[in-house]
Structure formats: structure tokens, C-alpha cells
Amino acid sequence: MKSAISSLISSRNFNLHRSSLSFSIFRRPSLLLPSQFPVISTDDKATGANFTSLRRKCRFHSNKSSPIMASSFNPEQARSPPAVPLPIPPVTKFKIGLCQLTVTPDKQRNIEHARKAIEEAVEKGAQLVVLPEIWNGPYSNDSFPVYAEDIEAGGDASPSTAMLSEVSRRLKVTIVGGSIAERSGDKLYNACCIFGTDGKLKAKHRKIHLFDIDIPGKITFIESKTLTAGQTPTVVDTEVGRIGIGICYDIRFQELAMIYAARGAHLICYPGAFNMTTGPLHWELLQRARAADNQLYVATCSPARDVGAGYVAWGHSTLVGPFGEVLATTEHDEAIIIAEIDYSLIELRRTNLPLLKQKRGDLYQLVDVERLKSE
Amino acid sequence: MKSAISSLISSRNFNLHRSSLSFSIFRRPSLLLPSQFPVISTDDKATGANFTSLRRKCRFHSNKSSPIMASSFNPEQARSPPAVPLPIPPVTKFKIGLCQLTVTPDKQRNIEHARKAIEEAVEKGAQLVVLPEIWNGPYSNDSFPVYAEDIEAGGDASPSTAMLSEVSRRLKVTIVGGSIAERSGDKLYNACCIFGTDGKLKAKHRKIHLFDIDIPGKITFIESKTLTAGQTPTVVDTEVGRIGIGICYDIRFQELAMIYAARGAHLICYPGAFNMTTGPLHWELLQRARAADNQLYVATCSPARDVGAGYVAWGHSTLVGPFGEVLATTEHDEAIIIAEIDYSLIELRRTNLPLLKQKRGDLYQLVDVERLKSE
């Protein structure tokens, strides 16, 4: 362990937006897992079902980890590739702002409203601001094509992200920009844009798991009628730590959060608009479970509730700590939550309950297909 | 699909106790997944780190499933081997009894007390009775060797399981016998015995994840000081459905519940004695998360609280439905919970939220090492 204390490793973001490929340097205090941080080529993305090369790579890793992990249960093999060490974030303590916004059919109003909310959150000390899922127009299959923007083209083709870029640069704030409908060629996505303090798009997450559910008499929604699912998990290194991104229904798939934890995320942000049926049943439960199971922070941001809307959001934007504890939350009205994140609690909880060292790699293994392919 | 409606498949329990190897026949109404229920040889257990043969077997399965699963996202590949179809249980609706018992240092009293509780639960209609973790003596590293029994030897060498066998046969009830300390050679285990209505030991689960935690000033316990961890997950076919077994700390490892779901479990039983720190924080959260994420029933059974004991249990034995909903629970005093289980709700919830068909096998895959080895 001692030689690793002062070692420096270079890491690259997974799924970095190509216009903002960046390198981050982290100092690593102790080695939980194998010593080489895997370098992922962004050219080597999982795009389809080419499992031939994967088959060659799929293996149970040799037990080459540091003595601290020595165990016949091979805990490091519970993730394939093995989990990366938790990076030291650029900042340990900071404030997050969750903007639970009312959303109207007036896109220009929504954009101005979001701009003001971000400004207010920053005024109150937020270094990271999170917006709701689909904040620039109504959440409906009819509206997605109407409000969709060409994010890659930018500028006038995407006034919503142009605003996010402008504010993040001007106020030097990191923004997890909720989500908007994205038009790309003849396809539509539910996309979350992450902007750095320089105003640049650092990453874009396209919702991986589309919201297709049918609870008769309660809630039926088939997002796949209009939207296409994203092809890759998204973890991005920001000025406020390594953040994994999921959008709403993505939170139901525990595997995604497990992958993010194994990639070294400090925080997972889920912009999401749960509804009046699944909201009370599952919204807080899923957030707390993802945080407690993976021993990291989880932040969610919902639109405020509009009972006149076609889709009525549950609200209840929340910050959860690495012990599964609700640190800050709100009801369903418009609100800006300002709450403190302290990443040192991640290490503390992982020391209290050393789940990572107790996993049974001899019995189960979660494969991160994209990382495995890129090895 | 139509040809499968009347097909019969034979299945064998995973991790069956050798004295009670049995076969179960299930009628399968629809094929969610590949048509051949994997047959696992009990001689082919995962016993060590022989990953050579595993490497050969480790692969991404071809997409040979039924049309219902056709998807470029390969949802069936999210589990390796692919999940087995949910078997039709011998009974759809039945009552479960959770006996939250006071435990004293008097073993003979504990055994008689448990016998009476089981009898009372059966009188009230329970077809399945669950007992707490470590119910025949105090929960402590000092007590484990003193109260341990040789379960394999049986008879006088194991009065606790002899009682369970006698009651289950006499009352024709299935018993998930909480857990007791088991002596096997020079090793001690925390073991749960499952008895069928014929009084035979159907399966024995040895706690896989030992309870080694350290929350200074709150709770520190190192179970591995005296106990040895079990080597295999346990799923058993009973007269009341396919049941996965975990003991207490096992519930923290979501992978185990995911494996049980993929093996076709209807219900996971976790005898467990959470404490006054982690109990209020995590006990209900973890139960609800395992149930909601895996869309199956979860039942837990704790000892009643004894504030004078060295280890003070949280209590709160609970039954959770496949939507993550608490169906029945109690406080910390001694209690027998009688509640109805309706397995048809599993199918309903999996139709409402078809998570199994929405998983992204192209992005993540959970490997069940034991099943993979046995293929």
C-alpha cells in the first residue's frame, strides 16, 4: 500500500463528448483494487452485438490485487473488469443545487425560467446544479418531436443547451442539464447534457432504458413510440467529482448504478419524472437503494407537479448520502434544494461496511461490457 | 409460444441437501427465455478457484430466445446463463408465518418456544413458517461454539433441527428454519435449514457473506472471528414455491438476490438480526429494494428485541410484495405475523413493468458462477 500512497494515475472519462475530451489527474491514497486504471478509448464504444472479440476478452481476472484484498472469495472478481479505485475528487465538500422547476408549453419561458433558477442556485452557493428530466417542454410523445433540438449542431439549433453553456461559463458552475428531447438525424433521444465550468459540453447521456410501462388504470406510457434508446453508460469527470448519469427509468436498473460505482463514480445524478403511481411506490426507495448498495451519493431532480398536465410528475427531488440516508428533499411544488455533499463520507461508509472487500467474486460477477470490450 | 404452453420441464434444485435430492415438475405457461431449464449436477458445485474450465464456458450467449424477447439489446444476455422462466409453483396463494421470537440463553426453552410458535402459526393457517436468525441461543461469537450443533449427524447431535423435522412432518408444513450455529468438523457456520412437509431436510444454506462491520461507537461485530462463510447460493423447490435463502448480511449483496431471481425464485427468505444502528437505516430499505428490483416476494424474520442482550436486535420482521410494497410487518416485540402470499402478483408486476425484457444485455451482464460452471 505504501508505494501507492503517492502514486499518480491518469484517467480518462468514459463516454466523453468528443468535443471535450479531457484528462484528469487523481492522487490515489490507497489501493483497493488492481493498480492500473484502465484507459478507455472513446473510439472503442459498444455499438452492437459484436461478441466475437468480447468472447476472447471475457475471462475471470487473475487475483493480482494488493494484499488488502487477498481472499479466497476473490472480491475483485465480482466486477469485470475489476472496479477502479475511487478517485480523489477535485473538491471534497461542496453544495449541490437541485432545481425542481415548473414546466410549461412555452419553451422560451422554460429556458429563461431555468436560467434564473440556475443563477439563484449559484447565488446560494451551488457548485453543481441539476435540472429536471424534460424541462424545456411537456413530457409527452406528442411534444418530444416538437421541442426536440439538434444538440450536436448547437447554437440556434439548440437554444436550451446554448443557455446551459452560457450560464455554466459565466457563473463557473458545473451543470447536469436535466434532459431535453434531442434530434439526431431521423432519431429522437431523451438526452442529458453535462456542462463544465468553462461552458463546454463535457458529456451527453442518452436515456438507455426507455420508459415503456403499462399499469392499467394507473399509468401507461410507451416512450419507445417516439424515442430511441441510448447506446452507452455515461460517467464524466467534472470539477465536482466523477458523476454517473441516468435518466428516470434508468434508475430501475441496478446494474447501471453498479457499473458506475465500479467506474469510480462519487455521485450518480438521475434527472427523472416519476409519476403519481410509481412515484410514491418507488422513487425514494430506488434512490436510497442505489446509494446504500453502491455506497455513493445519489441526486435526483424532477419537474414540479402540474396537475393540469398530461403527465403529472411526482416531484420530490432528493439528495441521498452513501449510507442511503435522505439528506435533503422536497414535496411536489417548485423548489430549489441546496444541500452539502461531503465525499469523505464515501470512504467512511466503505470503511464501516467494507462491502467491496466482502463481495463473492467466486459466486457472482457483474460484467461492464463496454469496459471489457475496450480492454 | 403456443407449443410451450403445455410443455413440461423437469428441474432440479440448486444446492440440494444430499439426503433429500428431489425432482420437481413445473408446467410452464409461456416462455420468457430459452427453452431448456438448465440441469445442475450437485456434484458440480463451485468449490474453489478453478477458473480454467470456467473461462471456456464464459461467453455471451447467442440470441436464441423466443420472438417475445427479440431485441437488439439482448436482454436475455443480461444474465449468464440466461434467466430460467418463472416456474409455476405448486400453490399460488398461501399464508406465510413469520415467528419473531424472544431468544434466551436456555437452549431447551428456545427449542420448545419455537415449536409452540410454529404450531401456533400453522393453527392460524400458515403453510410456510420462517424462524429468526440464531434462534436457539444468544447471537455472539462467544455463544456460537457453545450452541452449535452437528446438523449432518442429526438426532441428539442437533436437537434444534430434530424439532424442526418433527414439527414439519407432523403438521405438514414447510419450514425455513431461521438459522443456528452449525458445527461441521472443526468449522462453524451460520446455517439455515429448510424442511419439507415430509420432515426431510430439503436444503441447508450457510451464510455466504459474514457480518464483519465496524461503525465506531455504534456497532462493531466480526462474525468471521468464529464462523466460516458458506460456499454456495441456495435455491430450493418446496411445496410453496421456489425459495432463495439468504441470512442477514447476505441481504446487503444485491447480486445474490439477482442470482436467485434468475434461477426462478418466487420468494427470498432472509432470517436476519439487524441491529439498532443498521436496522432503522437499512433493514426495510434492503428488503423492499430486493423485492422491487427483482419483482418477487421477500420475507424476513428477526429475533424479538432484548435490550438486555449483548447484541440487541432491531426486530421488524416483514413480508414485502413484488412491487416493493410492505404487506405485513411488526415492531420489535415478540410476534407471529400471518400474511398472504399471492404469486400471481409476480406475473402481474412483471407485465406492468417488463424489466426483464428491458435489461441491456449489450451493456451489462451478471454471471452466476455456479450455474455457469455446471453448464
Side-chain angles (χ1 to χ4, degrees):
Chain A
M1 256 176 71
K2 56 280 168 200
S3 71
I5 287 174
S6 61
S7 75
L8 287 175
I9 53 165
S10 72
S11 70
R12 275 171 68 180
N13 295 334
F14 303 97
N15 185 28
L16 271 179
H17 188 271
R18 66 172 178 274
S19 70
S20 63
L21 192 64
S22 67
F23 292 80
S24 305
I25 306 289
F26 291 113
R27 190 179 293 268
R28 191 169 45 169
S30 68
L31 270 181
L32 284 177
L33 285 163
S35 59
Q36 188 51 53
F37 193 107
V39 175
I40 301 292
S41 161
T42 50
D43 298 322
D44 195 4
K45 292 265 181 62
T47 53
N50 176 14
F51 287 106
T52 314
S53 63
L54 206 51
R55 237 173 262 138
R56 267 183 270 117
K57 289 175 178 175
C58 183
R59 63 184 186 274
F60 286 78
H61 289 75
S62 63
N63 194 349
K64 56 178 177 178
S65 59
S66 60
I68 195 171
M69 290 298 287
S71 162
S72 60
F73 302 142
N74 306 315
E76 76 289 349
Q77 291 186 355
R79 297 293 177 266
S80 174
V84 303
L86 190 71
I88 290 198
V91 56
T92 302
K93 275 192 190 184
F94 66 96
K95 284 184 180 162
I96 188 173
L98 311 175
C99 299
Q100 182 166 296
L101 304 175
T102 56
V103 177
T104 72
D106 181 345
K107 189 200 262 195
Q108 193 49 43
R109 176 267 176 204
N110 295 335
I111 293 175
E112 287 313 311
H113 194 58
R115 188 201 307 268
K116 284 187 193 123
I118 298 169
E119 288 169 349
E120 186 177 329
V122 173
E123 245 171 58
K124 291 180 174 166
Q127 288 179 258
L128 167 65
V129 175
V130 186
L131 295 187
E133 182 184 21
I134 305 293
W135 58 267
N136 76 353
Y139 181 87
S140 79
N141 277 315
D142 288 343
S143 296
F144 295 148
V146 179
Y147 290 78
E149 302 183 6
D150 187 339
I151 295 171
E152 299 294 323
D156 289 349
S158 184
S160 301
T161 61
M163 181 277 286
L164 297 178
S165 170
E166 184 276 324
V167 180
S168 61
R169 187 180 62 249
R170 174 163 51 87
L171 302 181
K172 301 201 189 321
V173 61
T174 299
I175 298 178
V176 173
S179 79
I180 63 170
E182 176 196 13
R183 186 181 302 282
S184 178
D186 61 351
K187 289 181 176 163
L188 295 175
Y189 300 92
N190 189 336
C192 174
C193 294
I194 297 87
F195 286 87
T197 55
D198 57 1
K200 287 192 180 156
L201 183 62
K202 289 183 83 71
K204 184 177 67 187
H205 177 76
R206 290 168 167 170
K207 191 175 192 172
I208 292 173
H209 304 89
L210 293 181
F211 178 57
D212 291 353
I213 80 170
D214 180 22
I215 308 178
K218 300 282 188 180
I219 172 74
T220 298
F221 201 99
I222 307 295
E223 214 175 31
S224 63
K225 270 187 188 170
T226 57
L227 302 186
T228 300
Q231 289 296 338
T232 172
T234 304
V235 170
V236 55
D237 281 323
T238 74
E239 291 80 355
V240 287
R242 187 169 291 179
I243 304 177
I245 306 288
I247 300 177
C248 201
Y249 203 58
D250 282 337
I251 200 175
R252 286 201 178 270
F253 298 84
Q254 54 193 321
E255 297 91 337
L256 185 62
M258 293 159 84
I259 281 179
Y260 287 161
R263 291 186 182 191
H266 301 101
L267 164 68
I268 306 179
C269 289
Y270 294 101
F274 266 44
N275 52 72
M276 300 297 288
T277 298
T278 60
L281 278 167
H282 297 145
W283 181 231
E284 186 175 288
L285 171 68
L286 294 172
Q287 299 173 51
R288 293 187 59 215
R290 302 296 170 254
D293 282 339
N294 298 291
Q295 301 182 303
L296 42 64
Y297 280 85
V298 166
T300 60
C301 191
S302 167
R305 189 177 305 165
D306 173 2
V307 292
Y311 182 94
V312 182
W314 171 240
H316 292 261
S317 304
T318 299
L319 176 68
V320 183
F323 227 29
E325 72 278 38
V326 173
L327 295 172
T329 188
T330 186
E331 291 292 328
H332 56 265
D333 290 331
E334 187 159 75
I336 297 178
I337 297 174
I338 305 290
E340 188 173 75
I341 284 180
D342 179 354
Y343 286 144
S344 71
L345 291 180
I346 298 178
E347 291 279 12
L348 176 67
R349 296 321 181 187
R350 292 183 185 189
T351 305
N352 293 155
L353 276 70
L355 303 180
L356 295 173
K357 302 178 196 172
Q358 295 167 328
K359 287 192 186 289
R360 296 291 300 258
D362 58 330
L363 298 178
Y364 45 74
Q365 180 182 69
L366 183 76
V367 180
D368 181 337
V369 175
E370 188 178 82
R371 277 182 69 212
L372 194 67
K373 278 184 174 177
S374 70
E375 272 203 334
Chain B
M1 257 176 70
K2 57 279 167 199
S3 71
I5 288 174
S6 61
S7 75
L8 287 174
I9 52 164
S10 71
S11 70
R12 274 170 70 180
N13 294 336
F14 303 97
N15 184 29
L16 270 178
H17 188 270
R18 65 174 180 272
S19 70
S20 63
L21 192 65
S22 67
F23 292 80
S24 305
I25 306 290
F26 291 112
R27 190 179 294 269
R28 192 169 45 170
S30 67
L31 270 181
L32 284 178
L33 285 164
S35 59
Q36 189 52 54
F37 194 106
V39 175
I40 302 292
S41 161
T42 50
D43 300 327
D44 195 4
K45 290 267 181 62
T47 52
N50 175 15
F51 287 108
T52 314
S53 63
L54 205 52
R55 239 172 261 139
R56 266 183 270 118
K57 288 175 178 176
C58 182
R59 63 185 185 274
F60 286 78
H61 289 75
S62 64
N63 192 350
K64 57 180 178 178
S65 60
S66 59
I68 196 173
M69 290 298 287
S71 162
S72 61
F73 302 142
N74 307 314
E76 75 289 350
Q77 291 187 355
R79 297 293 177 265
S80 175
V84 303
L86 190 71
I88 291 199
V91 56
T92 302
K93 275 192 191 184
F94 66 97
K95 284 184 180 158
I96 187 172
L98 311 175
C99 299
Q100 181 166 296
L101 304 176
T102 55
V103 177
T104 72
D106 180 345
K107 189 199 260 195
Q108 192 50 42
R109 176 268 176 202
N110 295 335
I111 293 175
E112 286 314 311
H113 193 59
R115 187 201 307 269
K116 283 186 195 126
I118 298 168
E119 288 170 349
E120 185 178 330
V122 173
E123 244 171 57
K124 291 180 174 166
Q127 289 179 258
L128 167 64
V129 175
V130 186
L131 296 188
E133 183 184 22
I134 305 292
W135 58 267
N136 75 353
Y139 181 87
S140 77
N141 277 315
D142 288 344
S143 296
F144 295 149
V146 179
Y147 291 78
E149 301 182 6
D150 187 340
I151 296 171
E152 300 294 323
D156 289 347
S158 184
S160 300
T161 61
M163 180 277 286
L164 298 179
S165 170
E166 184 275 322
V167 181
S168 61
R169 187 180 62 250
R170 174 163 50 88
L171 303 180
K172 300 200 190 324
V173 61
T174 300
I175 297 177
V176 172
S179 78
I180 63 171
E182 176 196 12
R183 186 181 302 282
S184 178
D186 60 351
K187 289 183 176 161
L188 295 176
Y189 300 92
N190 188 336
C192 174
C193 294
I194 297 88
F195 287 87
T197 56
D198 56 1
K200 287 193 180 153
L201 183 63
K202 290 183 82 71
K204 183 177 69 188
H205 177 76
R206 291 169 167 169
K207 191 175 192 173
I208 292 174
H209 304 89
L210 293 182
F211 178 56
D212 291 352
I213 79 170
D214 180 23
I215 308 178
K218 299 283 189 180
I219 172 74
T220 298
F221 201 98
I222 307 296
E223 215 175 31
S224 63
K225 270 188 188 169
T226 55
L227 302 185
T228 300
Q231 289 296 337
T232 171
T234 304
V235 170
V236 55
D237 281 323
T238 74
E239 292 80 353
V240 287
R242 186 170 293 179
I243 304 177
I245 306 288
I247 300 176
C248 200
Y249 203 58
D250 282 337
I251 200 175
R252 287 202 178 269
F253 298 83
Q254 55 193 320
E255 298 91 338
L256 185 63
M258 294 158 84
I259 281 179
Y260 287 159
R263 291 186 182 191
H266 301 101
L267 164 67
I268 305 179
C269 289
Y270 294 102
F274 266 44
N275 53 72
M276 300 297 289
T277 298
T278 60
L281 278 168
H282 297 145
W283 181 232
E284 186 174 289
L285 170 68
L286 293 172
Q287 298 173 52
R288 293 186 60 216
R290 301 296 169 254
D293 282 338
N294 298 291
Q295 301 181 304
L296 42 65
Y297 279 85
V298 166
T300 61
C301 191
S302 167
R305 189 177 306 165
D306 174 2
V307 292
Y311 182 94
V312 182
W314 172 241
H316 291 260
S317 304
T318 299
L319 176 68
V320 183
F323 228 28
E325 71 279 36
V326 173
L327 295 172
T329 188
T330 186
E331 292 293 329
H332 56 265
D333 290 331
E334 187 159 77
I336 297 178
I337 298 174
I338 305 290
E340 189 173 75
I341 284 180
D342 179 354
Y343 287 145
S344 71
L345 291 179
I346 297 178
E347 291 279 12
L348 176 67
R349 297 319 182 188
R350 293 183 183 189
T351 305
N352 293 155
L353 274 70
L355 303 180
L356 295 173
K357 302 178 196 173
Q358 295 167 328
K359 286 191 187 290
R360 295 293 299 261
D362 59 330
L363 298 178
Y364 45 74
Q365 180 182 69
L366 183 77
V367 180
D368 181 338
V369 175
E370 188 177 83
R371 278 182 68 213
L372 194 67
K373 278 184 173 177
S374 70
E375 272 203 331

